[in-house]
Amino acid sequence: MSYYPFSERSGMLVFTCTHVLEDNKPITFVTHHFDDNNWQFSCSSTHTDADAVIITIGELCELDPSLEELCDMPVGHFAKRKNKNAKWIIARLPDEKAYVKANQQN
């Protein structure tokens, strides 16, 4: 990979689903959680715990270069899109209690 835009190291582990890796479904929902700084990249399918896969963020960016558009997405936020060619829509996660609590203290 010649260009890597995320501030996290490319070997950082993130969550995705088997549908993305095995069935080549597009990533349509991304979360960047405040409480643990974890990233999660999933498709539009219904998921169970058995569908969870851990992969490096660098490998995921190689599979889907459009993820570079999310490199500055802050913790406590999510991004969604209808399909691989659609524009990402970014918003704050409503259930991020740690995010809400931290902002109330400021």
Side-chain angles (χ1 to χ4, degrees):
M1 175 176 26
S2 59
Y3 174 68
Y4 178 76
F6 285 81
S7 61
E8 289 87 352
R9 59 184 170 74
S10 64
M12 182 183 79
L13 298 176
V14 297
F15 296 95
T16 191
C17 62
T18 56
H19 310 117
V20 169
L21 295 180
E22 297 171 9
D23 301 333
N24 296 319
K25 290 201 172 187
I27 296 168
T28 56
F29 191 73
V30 177
T31 56
H32 190 189
H33 293 283
F34 184 84
D35 58 344
D36 56 11
N37 199 34
N38 278 332
W39 287 84
Q40 185 172 336
F41 301 82
S42 59
C43 66
S44 300
S45 298
T46 302
H47 298 93
T48 66
D49 289 344
D51 297 319
V53 177
I54 297 173
I55 187 173
T56 68
I57 196 168
E59 290 172 302
L60 209 52
C61 286
E62 286 182 16
L63 292 173
D64 186 350
S66 73
L67 297 176
E68 74 180 54
E69 297 173 37
L70 304 177
C71 69
D72 294 328
M73 187 171 76
V75 293
H77 284 72
F78 71 91
K80 65 180 182 176
R81 63 183 176 180
K82 292 186 187 262
N83 57 56
K84 190 169 185 164
N85 298 319
K87 182 177 167 115
W88 287 106
I89 298 169
I90 299 173
R92 193 179 81 180
L93 286 163
D95 62 344
E96 290 285 306
K97 294 176 185 170
Y99 179 85
V100 172
K101 184 177 178 180
N103 281 323
Q104 289 173 344
Q105 294 174 352
N106 291 332

